[in-house]
Amino acid sequence: MYIASTTAPVNIATLKYWGKRDKTLNLPTNSSISVTLSQEDLRTLTSAATSETFSEDQLWLNGKLESLASERTQMCLADLRQLRAELESQDDSLPKFSQWKLHIVSENNFPTAAGLASSAAGFSALVVAIAKLYKLPQSMSEISKIARKGSGSACRSLFGGYVAWEMGVEEDGSDSKAVEVAPLEHWDNMKAVILVVSADKKDTPSTSGMQTTVHTSDLFQWRIKEVVPTRFEEMKKSIVEKNFPVFADLTMKDSNSFHATCLDSFPPIFYLNDTSKKIIKLVHAINEFYKETIAAYTFDAGPNAVIYYESQNESKLFAFLYKLFGKVSGWESKYTTESLTAFTTEFETIKEQLNFAIDEELYKGVSRVILTQAGPGPQDTDLCLISEATGLPK
Amino acid sequence: MYIASTTAPVNIATLKYWGKRDKTLNLPTNSSISVTLSQEDLRTLTSAATSETFSEDQLWLNGKLESLASERTQMCLADLRQLRAELESQDDSLPKFSQWKLHIVSENNFPTAAGLASSAAGFSALVVAIAKLYKLPQSMSEISKIARKGSGSACRSLFGGYVAWEMGVEEDGSDSKAVEVAPLEHWDNMKAVILVVSADKKDTPSTSGMQTTVHTSDLFQWRIKEVVPTRFEEMKKSIVEKNFPVFADLTMKDSNSFHATCLDSFPPIFYLNDTSKKIIKLVHAINEFYKETIAAYTFDAGPNAVIYYESQNESKLFAFLYKLFGKVSGWESKYTTESLTAFTTEFETIKEQLNFAIDEELYKGVSRVILTQAGPGPQDTDLCLISEATGLPK
C-alpha cells in the first residue's frame, strides 16, 4: 500500500469567478484573482492511498463515507490516472497505480455549517494528494487544470499568496489554469476577518446561479467583456505594487459588480442580505472616518463578509469591529484579554469624533468571527488519515 | 385676482429613469416609460392665483408655507412666465400676469410619509395649474419640458395611461419631453398594488444617487447604451399590443437592472431591503404557480413594491396577497368583507397545490397596502384651495 497526504487552503476571490462558458470542463467566462487564506484557520487535510488489493475507489469526508460517483470527481480521477499511466508507460519498474483503486480520506478543520466554500480546498487537496501519491512531475499550474474540473475555484487553491485563474481561450480548457501573481512572502501582512452571517435559508447554488446569470443578465455581458478584463490587469498591478488602497477599491467594486449581475439575472438572485449591506456600509464608513482605505469587503455567493486589511491597520479596524462584533465568538482563540481590551480602549479614544452611528444590534446578524490571514499553498504534512494496516480511515 | 386649479397624478416607471446627463436641466441618460396611476388614490391638487396686488411668490404645501427659492422651482416659474409674456406681447389686451406674483396652494391626498415619490405629481400639478392660469396654448408635451426641469419624472405625469419620456439629444433639452404611448382607454384593465415597505432609515436621495451611479458604475454605461434603448422599443410595443406577460417581464427586468446599477455604484447604493426581496421572490413564485405571468413588480428608489396586474387576474393574485398582507391596512377601503372573504376562500382552494412556502411573517415588513389602477392625466377640478377674497389658502 502506498499513501500520500497533503493539506490545501481555502481561497477567497477578490476578482470574482461567476459564469461558465463550458459547464462540463468548468471553463469560466472571465479570469479571476484570489488571496489564499492561512491553513491554520481553514484547511482540508487529505490522505490518498492505493493498493492492488483495494476493490473500489472510496472517499471518506469528515468521517462519513461519501459517493465518488459525481462526474466532476470522476473527471479528476481519470485525468490523474492518465498522467500516471503516461509515467508508467515510460518506466516499466513503476507500480501500476493507474490501474489500482484509491482510498481517499479528507477532513476540514472548520465546520461546513459555517457556509464557507469548502469545495475549493476539498478538490485542491484531493487532486494534490493523488498527484503526490502518483509522483506526477507536472507543475502546480498543470495540476490546477485537473482541480478546476472538480470545482472551478479549486484551481486557485494550488498556490499560496496571490493567485490568478487565467480563463484561457482553448475549447478543451488546456490553457485555463491557475498561476501565481505574487507569492505570500511578497505581501505577507495581508490579513482577513470573516464575518459569518446568519442566513435565513439556502442560497441559490452557485452552479445554477451562474447559468441563470449567463443566460439572462444583459449587464453580465458587459462585465465579462469590458469590466473584468481591465480590472484583472489593474488588480494584478496593485498586488505587484502592494498598493492596498487600489487593491481594496478594485476588490470592493468587483464584489459589488458580481452581486449586481446576480440581481440583474431573471429571476434575480440575492446573496447579500440586510446584514451584509450594513457591513458594506460600515466598511465604507470606517475608510471614510480614517480618510484612508484600510479595509476591503468581498462577498462570495452567500451573505458572509470577508474583510481584507493590512496588519499595521489592525487596531484601527478592530477598534470598530470588536466594538460591533465583540459579543460574537471567535475573538478569544486569537487574542488575549489584554489585546481585546486595547481594541475597546482604542474605540473609546475615537468615539467622540465619529461621524456615523454605530448599530449596536448588528452583531445579531453575525454568528461567528474568523480571524485569519493570507497563507501558503498546499503543504506536505506528517499527518495521515489512513491506516497503513487496513487502508481505511484511522 | 385670477385663479386656476388642477389635479395631477403620480406615475410609476416601468422602464426606469436613473441618471442625468445634465443636472441643471434634468436631462436624462436614457428614455423611460411609466404608467400613470389613478388620482382617486394618489393625486396632488394645486391652485395657482395671480394678482397685481400680490407682493411675492408664495407656496403653501399641505397646509405649510414652503420656500419657492429652489433653483428648480424658479426655472419652472421663469419658463411659464416667459411663455405668458410671449402671449402678452402678441395681444395687448391680456393682463400682464407674467409680471405679477403668484400664490400657489397644493395638497396631496396621500401622506408624504408613505415614501411615495410625490414630487412628480407635485411639479406636474404646479406647472399645469399655472399653464392653465396663464391660458398657455402649448401642448402637454411642450409643457412637460417645464415640469421636467422641476423634477425629471414629473414630465410623465402630464399624460394619463402609458407615457414615455423621450430623452432627446439636444443640449438645451428642447426635445426631452413626455409623449403618450397609449391612452388609458387603450389598456384600461391595468391595476396596481403598492406595498409600502417599512424602511430603517432614509435612503440615498435620488439626485445624489444618480450622480454616484453615473460617475462610478461600469455596468451603468452598458445599461444606458445598449440595454435600455432596446427595452424602450420592446416595452412600447408590448403596451401597444397589450401583451401583459411581455410588459411584465420587461418591467421586472428593468427594475432589477436599475437596482443592479445602484449596487454597482461606488460606494454601492441599496434601495431594496430583505422585505423587498421577499416580495420579488413571491411574485416570481406566484407567476410560476399559475404557469402564467399575471403580476409584475417594480421598485423605485426605495423599498416599496408596486405590483402591476390586469383586473381579470385580481382574484388569482389576491388569493396570495390578501393571505400574506391581509393584516396590513388598506384593504377595507376598497373591498367589502364579502370580497375579502372570497380571496381567503380562493387561497384555501389552491393551498394544497402550493410548491413554495408562505412566509407568515412577511406582512410585518409592510406598513400599508394601496390598491389602485392606471388613471388619466391632469384633470380640471371645481375644487379650489385659494380664497378669492384673500388670495390666501382657504
Side-chain angles (χ1 to χ4, degrees):
Chain A
M1 187 184 316
Y2 298 80
I3 310 182
S5 297
T6 191
T7 64
V10 163
N11 72 78
I12 300 287
T14 50
L15 186 62
K16 298 298 186 191
Y17 157 49
W18 192 255
K20 299 177 201 276
R21 64 179 201 272
D22 183 314
K23 208 173 151 184
T24 311
L25 295 173
N26 272 343
L27 300 180
T29 51
N30 61 265
S31 296
S32 55
I33 296 176
S34 60
V35 177
T36 296
L37 296 186
S38 169
Q39 295 173 58
E40 281 177 36
D41 306 298
L42 302 163
R43 62 112 182 96
T44 299
L45 165 62
T46 297
S47 296
T50 193
S51 160
E52 218 171 345
T53 66
F54 290 171
S55 59
E56 56 174 337
D57 289 335
Q58 285 193 295
L59 168 69
W60 290 263
L61 200 58
N62 295 319
K64 273 180 59 187
L65 192 64
E66 299 275 347
S67 167
L68 272 168
S70 85
E71 195 189 357
R72 305 213 159 283
T73 315
Q74 288 302 317
M75 276 196 293
C76 292
L77 298 185
D79 280 8
L80 291 159
R81 283 185 164 121
Q82 165 75 24
L83 294 180
R84 172 68 188 186
E86 285 168 19
L87 282 187
E88 290 166 7
S89 71
Q90 290 154 21
D91 180 352
D92 263 355
S93 72
L94 292 178
K96 299 283 179 285
F97 288 178
S98 65
Q99 294 164 32
W100 300 355
K101 300 297 179 189
L102 286 158
H103 283 185
I104 304 156
V105 183
S106 195
E107 274 179 9
N108 295 331
N109 66 345
F110 57 96
T112 313
L116 294 159
S118 52
S119 63
F123 271 104
S124 163
L126 178 127
V127 169
V128 170
I130 298 171
K132 215 172 130 182
L133 175 69
Y134 287 177
K135 299 197 191 305
L136 299 182
Q138 279 78 8
S139 70
M140 275 299 193
S141 272
E142 278 303 305
I143 298 295
S144 80
K145 292 191 251 172
I146 303 176
R148 186 205 76 222
K149 294 184 189 175
S151 168
S153 57
C155 73
R156 294 186 311 240
S157 276
L158 266 72
F159 291 93
Y162 305 83
V163 188
W165 173 9
E166 296 175 342
M167 63 178 287
V169 294
E170 300 297 336
E171 269 190 38
D172 65 358
S174 56
D175 58 351
S176 185
K177 61 183 193 294
V179 298
E180 186 184 85
V181 176
L184 175 61
E185 298 69 35
H186 168 72
W187 198 357
D188 63 0
N189 55 333
M190 182 70 75
K191 302 191 77 174
V193 186
I194 304 174
L195 298 171
V196 180
V197 171
S198 326
D200 270 16
K201 50 175 183 173
K202 218 174 143 28
D203 297 313
T204 309
S206 60
T207 296
S208 67
M210 284 183 196
Q211 294 303 104
T212 302
T213 303
V214 170
H215 293 129
T216 65
S217 167
D218 300 303
L219 301 179
F220 176 75
Q221 299 307 323
W222 184 248
R223 168 172 164 80
I224 62 173
K225 277 185 205 134
E226 297 292 332
V227 179
V228 172
T230 305
R231 201 171 273 159
F232 184 67
E233 297 305 324
E234 289 172 346
M235 191 178 282
K236 284 198 293 188
K237 185 164 177 276
S238 75
I239 291 169
V240 169
E241 295 174 352
K242 297 197 278 185
N243 186 334
F244 187 84
V246 170
F247 172 77
D249 271 9
L250 294 169
T251 295
M252 293 187 278
K253 282 182 179 175
D254 200 69
S255 175
N256 296 336
S257 168
F258 148 52
H259 290 282
T261 64
C262 289
L263 173 49
D264 188 53
S265 304
F266 198 71
I269 302 162
F270 302 105
Y271 290 118
L272 305 176
N273 66 19
D274 284 352
T275 300
S276 313
K277 290 188 232 164
K278 286 176 184 168
I279 294 168
I280 288 175
K281 289 184 180 180
L282 173 71
V283 170
H284 282 286
I286 292 171
N287 288 336
E288 272 165 39
F289 176 77
Y290 289 119
K291 296 183 173 53
E292 186 191 349
T293 305
I294 65 163
Y297 56 78
T298 187
F299 294 80
D300 277 352
N304 295 340
V306 177
I307 302 173
Y308 286 113
Y309 65 98
E310 290 181 291
S311 56
Q312 71 271 23
N313 291 319
E314 184 162 88
S315 62
K316 278 177 152 177
L317 178 63
F318 284 13
F320 287 98
L321 296 190
Y322 187 65
K323 169 71 183 172
L324 277 156
F325 304 106
K327 289 178 185 164
V328 175
S329 76
W331 297 93
E332 305 73 17
S333 58
K334 284 276 175 167
Y335 294 95
T336 61
T337 310
E338 232 170 14
S339 305
L340 295 174
T341 307
F343 299 141
T344 302
T345 309
E346 177 133 0
F347 181 79
E348 292 300 317
T349 65
I350 56 175
K351 75 172 181 187
E352 300 297 321
Q353 307 150 47
L354 278 196
N355 48 1
F356 63 97
I358 291 292
D359 181 350
E360 304 272 357
E361 309 281 289
L362 187 50
Y363 77 94
K364 290 182 180 170
V366 172
S367 59
R368 192 178 167 204
V369 175
I370 298 171
L371 301 156
T372 187
Q373 57 198 340
Q379 298 288 298
D380 288 337
T381 174
D382 292 335
L383 299 170
C384 180
L385 297 170
I386 296 177
S387 156
E388 285 186 53
T390 63
L392 296 172
K394 279 183 184 166
Chain B
M1 188 187 315
Y2 297 81
I3 310 183
S5 296
T6 190
T7 63
V10 162
N11 73 79
I12 300 288
T14 51
L15 186 61
K16 298 298 187 191
Y17 157 49
W18 192 254
K20 299 177 201 276
R21 66 178 200 273
D22 183 314
K23 208 175 152 185
T24 309
L25 295 173
N26 273 343
L27 299 181
T29 52
N30 62 265
S31 296
S32 55
I33 295 176
S34 60
V35 177
T36 296
L37 296 185
S38 168
Q39 295 173 57
E40 282 178 35
D41 307 298
L42 303 163
R43 62 114 182 93
T44 300
L45 165 63
T46 297
S47 297
T50 193
S51 160
E52 218 172 344
T53 65
F54 290 171
S55 59
E56 56 175 336
D57 290 334
Q58 284 193 297
L59 168 70
W60 291 264
L61 200 58
N62 295 318
K64 272 180 62 188
L65 193 64
E66 298 275 344
S67 169
L68 272 168
S70 84
E71 196 189 357
R72 304 211 160 285
T73 315
Q74 287 303 318
M75 276 195 294
C76 292
L77 298 185
D79 280 8
L80 290 159
R81 285 186 163 121
Q82 166 77 25
L83 293 180
R84 172 69 188 183
E86 286 169 19
L87 282 187
E88 292 165 7
S89 71
Q90 290 154 20
D91 180 353
D92 263 357
S93 72
L94 292 177
K96 299 283 178 289
F97 289 178
S98 65
Q99 296 166 31
W100 300 355
K101 301 297 179 190
L102 286 158
H103 284 186
I104 304 155
V105 183
S106 195
E107 273 180 11
N108 296 329
N109 66 345
F110 57 97
T112 314
L116 293 159
S118 51
S119 63
F123 271 104
S124 163
L126 177 127
V127 169
V128 171
I130 298 171
K132 216 171 129 181
L133 176 69
Y134 287 177
K135 301 199 190 304
L136 299 181
Q138 278 78 10
S139 70
M140 276 300 192
S141 273
E142 279 302 305
I143 299 294
S144 80
K145 291 191 252 172
I146 302 175
R148 186 205 75 221
K149 293 185 190 175
S151 167
S153 57
C155 73
R156 295 186 311 241
S157 277
L158 266 70
F159 291 93
Y162 305 84
V163 187
W165 173 8
E166 295 175 342
M167 64 178 289
V169 294
E170 300 299 335
E171 268 189 40
D172 64 358
S174 55
D175 58 350
S176 186
K177 61 182 191 296
V179 298
E180 187 185 83
V181 176
L184 175 61
E185 299 69 36
H186 169 72
W187 199 356
D188 63 0
N189 56 333
M190 182 70 76
K191 300 192 80 175
V193 186
I194 305 175
L195 299 170
V196 180
V197 172
S198 326
D200 271 17
K201 50 174 180 173
K202 219 177 141 27
D203 297 312
T204 310
S206 59
T207 296
S208 67
M210 285 184 194
Q211 294 304 103
T212 302
T213 303
V214 170
H215 293 128
T216 64
S217 167
D218 299 304
L219 300 179
F220 176 74
Q221 299 306 323
W222 185 248
R223 168 171 164 78
I224 62 171
K225 276 184 206 134
E226 297 292 332
V227 179
V228 172
T230 305
R231 199 170 275 159
F232 184 67
E233 297 305 325
E234 289 171 346
M235 191 178 282
K236 284 197 294 186
K237 185 165 177 277
S238 74
I239 291 169
V240 170
E241 295 174 352
K242 297 195 278 185
N243 187 334
F244 187 85
V246 170
F247 173 77
D249 271 11
L250 294 169
T251 295
M252 293 188 278
K253 282 182 179 174
D254 199 69
S255 175
N256 296 335
S257 167
F258 148 51
H259 290 282
T261 64
C262 289
L263 173 49
D264 188 53
S265 304
F266 198 72
I269 302 161
F270 302 105
Y271 291 119
L272 306 176
N273 67 18
D274 283 353
T275 300
S276 314
K277 289 189 231 164
K278 285 175 186 169
I279 294 169
I280 288 175
K281 289 183 181 178
L282 173 70
V283 171
H284 282 287
I286 292 171
N287 287 335
E288 273 165 38
F289 175 76
Y290 289 119
K291 296 185 173 53
E292 187 192 347
T293 304
I294 64 163
Y297 56 77
T298 188
F299 294 80
D300 276 352
N304 295 341
V306 177
I307 302 174
Y308 285 113
Y309 65 98
E310 289 180 291
S311 56
Q312 71 272 22
N313 291 319
E314 183 162 87
S315 61
K316 279 176 152 179
L317 178 63
F318 284 12
F320 287 98
L321 296 191
Y322 187 64
K323 169 71 183 173
L324 277 156
F325 303 106
K327 290 179 185 165
V328 175
S329 76
W331 298 93
E332 304 73 16
S333 58
K334 285 276 175 169
Y335 294 94
T336 61
T337 311
E338 231 169 15
S339 304
L340 294 175
T341 307
F343 299 142
T344 303
T345 309
E346 176 133 0
F347 181 78
E348 291 302 315
T349 66
I350 56 175
K351 76 172 181 187
E352 300 298 320
Q353 307 149 46
L354 279 195
N355 48 2
F356 63 96
I358 291 291
D359 182 350
E360 304 273 357
E361 310 280 291
L362 187 50
Y363 77 94
K364 291 182 180 169
V366 173
S367 60
R368 192 178 166 202
V369 175
I370 298 170
L371 301 156
T372 188
Q373 57 198 338
Q379 299 288 298
D380 288 338
T381 175
D382 292 336
L383 299 169
C384 180
L385 298 170
I386 297 178
S387 156
E388 285 186 54
T390 62
L392 296 172
K394 277 183 182 165

